[in-house]
Amino acid sequence: MTKTSTCIYHFLVLNWYIFLNYYIPQHGTDHERLKLFQDGVQSKYLTLLNLFVFLVFWSLFLYDRNLIYPKALDNVFPVWLNHAMHTCILPFSLVEVILRPHHYPTKRTGLILLAAGALSYITRVIWLHFQTGTWVYPVFATLGPLGMAAFFSLSYILSASIYLFGEKLNYWKWGDMMQPWTKRK
């Protein structure tokens, strides 16, 4: 199982870098390509995922702790590590959104990339369940197929909303200079 997981992980990472190597050369000079990579991969989507993780984790945790982080995990992951992974990411992400400008792709491209990332994560979670018989998060064990489809759909809607909100914040803070596809007057 470990070798298979490792192979699949490296296969997906390799495909991601092949995609980036194809996509980035389509856009201008070397400096612009590097900037596109930094803004696209390192910032927006990671910040988006951090905010999504914070909201979903703590919403489920406060509703019913056993759905996301059972008490038995306190013996494996200390409380400080739980907060480092699920609490501290919020202030750092918000500061990063406000202090660092981002070059967003068109809405269509951004949402398609977000959907591709979400679909790959969902695929990974379901594949792990079929391989081990255990869900990564206990909440999935309580949901039927329709409930899981609803959960994943609502998760994507929340992610897309956070992404679009981040784009609006970026525009509010930095204006048109960070949106190269818009026509300037």
Side-chain angles (χ1 to χ4, degrees):
M1 206 315 266
T2 304
K3 287 182 181 182
T4 305
S5 298
T6 304
C7 287
I8 290 174
Y9 171 78
H10 285 99
F11 174 76
L12 292 173
V13 169
L14 176 65
N15 282 315
W16 177 247
Y17 281 106
I18 289 170
F19 167 76
L20 289 177
N21 286 326
Y22 171 77
Y23 185 73
I24 291 173
Q26 308 292 326
H27 296 83
T29 65
D30 287 337
H31 179 68
E32 290 172 352
R33 291 179 199 157
L34 179 61
K35 196 72 173 148
L36 177 68
F37 176 75
Q38 287 175 337
D39 284 332
V41 177
Q42 293 179 342
S43 303
K44 274 187 307 302
Y45 295 107
L46 294 179
T47 300
L48 162 75
L49 291 174
N50 288 339
L51 294 174
F52 177 79
V53 165
F54 174 84
L55 290 173
V56 171
F57 177 84
W58 286 111
S59 296
L60 288 172
F61 188 91
L62 293 173
Y63 176 72
D64 182 1
R65 177 186 179 146
N66 290 323
L67 290 176
I68 194 80
Y69 193 81
K71 190 96 169 131
L73 286 178
D74 285 343
N75 298 329
V76 178
F77 296 106
V79 173
W80 66 267
L81 184 58
N82 180 25
H83 284 289
M85 292 188 307
H86 300 107
T87 306
C88 295
I89 57 175
L90 179 68
F92 290 119
S93 294
L94 292 177
V95 166
E96 194 265 338
V97 165
I98 299 298
L99 295 181
R100 187 169 188 273
H102 300 281
H103 293 279
Y104 278 81
T106 61
K107 278 188 178 51
R108 181 175 185 261
T109 303
L111 292 174
I112 287 172
L113 289 173
L114 180 62
L119 186 60
S120 66
Y121 184 74
I122 291 167
T123 303
R124 174 75 172 163
V125 166
I126 292 171
W127 179 81
L128 282 172
H129 171 68
F130 283 125
Q131 290 296 315
T132 65
T134 304
W135 287 105
V136 176
Y137 303 107
V139 68
F140 297 139
T142 65
L143 301 173
L146 185 59
M148 288 188 64
F151 183 87
F152 288 134
S153 297
L154 290 173
S155 295
Y156 178 74
I157 291 169
L158 177 61
S159 297
S161 300
I162 293 170
Y163 176 83
L164 295 172
F165 180 67
E167 188 177 46
K168 292 289 183 200
L169 275 177
N170 190 64
Y171 180 76
W172 167 76
K173 176 74 174 165
W174 302 101
D176 260 356
M177 70 181 216
M178 290 292 126
Q179 297 174 341
W181 66 89
T182 59
K183 293 182 181 176
R184 292 193 178 94
K185 297 175 185 174

